Amino acid sequence: MKTYTNESILIVDDIPTNIKVLFEILNQAGFKVAVAKSGKSALKKAEETLPNLILLDVMMPEMDGFETCRLLKENPQTRNIPVIFMTARSDLIDKVQGLKIGAVDYITKPIEYEEVLARINVHLELRRTQLQLVQEEKMSALGQLISGVAHEINNPINFIVGNIIYAQSYVDNLLALLNLYEKHQQQKLPDIQAYADQIELDFLKSDLPQLLSSMKTGAERVEKIVRSLRLFSRLDATEYQLFNIHEGIDSTLVLLSNRIKTVSKKVEINIVKNYGEVPAVECYAGPINQVLMNLIANAIDAIEESLLSGRISEKPTIEIITDVTEDKQSVLIIIADNGVGIPEEIQQKIFEQFFTTKPLGKGTGFGLAIAHEIIVDKHKGKLEVQSACGEGARFLITIPIEQTLSNLQ
């Protein structure tokens, strides 16, 4: 029998006998079960726990299931949670009304063990598939956009970088020639002297090489960003490929450099890279980049929160460590920050869909859930968290170096 160790169900029913039967069925199947005995209680509990699915009784005093479902669907935090109505009535009009409000299915009382699990499983699988398709579509569109922008910028920036070297050489030669003229010209003509004073020739001679050097540095910076964009744009890769983990991390840091520098007006986040000798890993490069982007961006958010609240006493730091695991079969990536940390009671929930500690509108609750799916499901690796409130957080990614036949199945 399939177990659902990471799935949570909220039972909403005012009859203790029904709750007991459902609790035993779902608990035995491995679900995390929460209970609400009224519509009002269900609204509060759903917002607090963000379950993967809600089993909602239609006939309840004070607030019936239809009104409860309507309010759930009006709340941005709970509107995407699938709702299955439970009813002893078989009236078609009631069922149509419930589906119009936003329910996804009905379960008829008395409760049947197999029917409950079958219907729950169908809608959880549909929800997972829907989220995955939406995310893959977003990532594919993002990858195409980034790739297109990088391609358009690549040619002109290569032209600038390639030619600025010659421009710098030509200017150096012209300035050397000008110095020779000044050295051997005993008497300067008044018109020439006047024009030299007008254009501030002495300043021009000292500033022009520095100006060209700054332009060269800026062009190389843009070239580096373009390379990072092109590396990151491999988001729609559908086959395993050898991937340099360090290149992925570096490209992510380049793309996040503006946030790293502007997280606070007073300080800049210190990035510490402790890279080990690690081989290229066989993986989906784009999704791995997506995981790195999500975890590093979350680390920046945690540090930003610490700075704003004044809870960080040392220099804000993100440390990135890479190494090969002891069995030499996997690569370990550790992304650690000294931000606010994650309370122990929340750590077990952070990889669940819809769960977020960020304010409404800032966090969707999908980022870490998708990261977990990419690492654990797609690559048969591990994604773990080590943290304590106020002591920062460490995310540990373990990715097999080779995707064996057993991993692919």
Side-chain angles (χ1 to χ4, degrees), residues 6 19 55 95 104 160 346:
N6 291 317
I19 293 174
L55 293 176
K95 290 185 177 181
V104 296
I160 294 171
I346 291 178

Side-chain angles (χ1 to χ4, degrees), residues 166-178:
Y166 298 106
Q168 197 165 24
S169 176
Y170 298 158
V171 167
D172 289 343
N173 291 338
L174 287 172
L175 290 175
L177 179 61
L178 181 60

